[in-house]
Amino acid sequence: NQDPRPKSPAASLSSIRVADGFRVELVAAEPLVRDPIAFDWGPDGKLWVVEMADYPLGLNNDGTPGGRIRFLEDTNGDGRYDQSTVFLEGLSYPSGVMPWRDGVLVSVAPNIIYAVDTNGDGKADHQETLYQGFVEGNQQHLVNGFARGLDNWIYVANGDSGGSIQSLKTGETIDISGRDLRIRPNTGELDAQTGQTQFGRRRDDWGNWFSCTNSAPFRHIALQ
């Protein structure tokens, strides 16, 4: 028996069916991006992508970290990304990214780090650990995020793993067992939040928060 081969980007696009009034457009595909699990846009239009290339056993199945953060750019303004740059690599199962200040926040258990390119070559040359203590383990249950709240805190999903989380700026430590987290990276503040999200805590325009797990893909966090 032969396993079915992957479709081409064009064939995949043509196989998608959506409700009347909607359409799907292809903006990026291999080889510009590979192994994507999370993404976010920067104010300059760059698409930042987390690539968990080392899932589940590391590169070459030997535990070697192989996660990457890359950004995609549309250099000719046609609405499709045509340039790809690996910003940071050699990460152990990265799970989230958010553009922040001059660089990006990255969730890579047991830490949340800040990575920045200081010399303009497109590569991160400075890293700073902002928070630490997130439990490592099953790669489908790692700390992840991020989402900005209406209160201008940045909200982070627990991942169902928990941990005793310490801010490296303030020294404060809190337990997030059974709860999610919000942070202020500028000051180092952190605060446990009602709800426990496996992947991708998100809100609507009115500030209602929603979580998920493998077995419960959509939950409203009713109490704050």
Side-chain angles (χ1 to χ4, degrees):
N1 294 333
Q2 184 176 2
D3 292 335
R5 298 184 61 81
K7 295 179 181 292
S8 69
S12 295
L13 184 63
S14 66
S15 70
I16 298 174
R17 301 290 182 266
V18 297
D20 291 344
F22 294 88
R23 70 174 186 268
V24 178
E25 297 180 0
L26 178 68
V27 296
E30 296 86 348
L32 288 180
V33 61
R34 298 184 63 184
D35 311 302
I37 67 158
F39 59 88
D40 197 11
W41 279 274
D44 55 1
K46 289 179 182 175
L47 177 61
W48 291 86
V49 183
V50 180
E51 298 181 335
M52 196 184 279
D54 45 359
Y55 179 83
L57 300 175
L59 293 181
N60 306 314
N61 295 328
D62 62 3
T64 301
R68 300 178 292 263
I69 305 296
R70 75 166 70 234
F71 60 86
L72 307 182
E73 297 174 278
D74 172 14
T75 63
N76 58 16
D78 68 351
R80 294 186 61 174
Y81 292 103
D82 52 65
Q83 182 170 298
S84 179
T85 302
V86 176
F87 181 74
L88 187 60
E89 56 188 334
L91 301 174
S92 180
Y93 309 116
S95 55
V97 65
M98 172 183 273
W100 183 69
R101 303 187 70 173
D102 296 325
V104 291
L105 300 174
V106 180
S107 52
V108 51
N111 303 322
I112 289 176
I113 66 172
Y114 171 58
V116 62
D117 167 23
T118 65
N119 59 16
D121 67 353
K123 310 287 186 180
D125 50 53
H126 173 76
Q127 295 183 47
E128 177 185 359
T129 298
L130 302 179
Y131 302 91
Q132 64 183 14
F134 298 96
V135 173
E136 300 175 81
N138 187 322
Q139 299 92 336
Q140 298 178 35
H141 295 271
L142 300 176
V143 57
N144 63 90
F146 305 87
R148 194 177 295 276
L150 296 178
D151 52 12
N152 212 32
W153 287 71
I154 293 173
Y155 285 71
V156 184
N158 178 302
D160 291 352
S161 292
S164 183
I165 314 307
Q166 181 184 40
S167 166
L168 275 293
K169 287 187 176 181
T170 68
E172 181 184 3
T173 299
I174 62 172
D175 182 3
I176 62 165
S177 177
R179 296 180 290 177
D180 286 336
L181 177 71
R182 65 177 181 172
I183 60 176
R184 280 183 168 151
N186 277 323
T187 60
E189 292 174 85
L190 70 170
D191 184 39
Q193 292 293 292
T194 300
Q196 177 171 290
T197 307
Q198 182 174 340
F199 197 88
R201 179 180 176 123
R202 287 295 181 265
R203 66 165 174 84
D204 62 17
D205 290 343
W206 295 270
N208 296 302
W209 286 98
F210 302 90
S211 68
C212 70
T213 67
N214 280 343
S215 56
F218 191 78
R219 283 177 170 166
H220 176 210
I221 303 172
L223 301 177
Q224 297 293 321

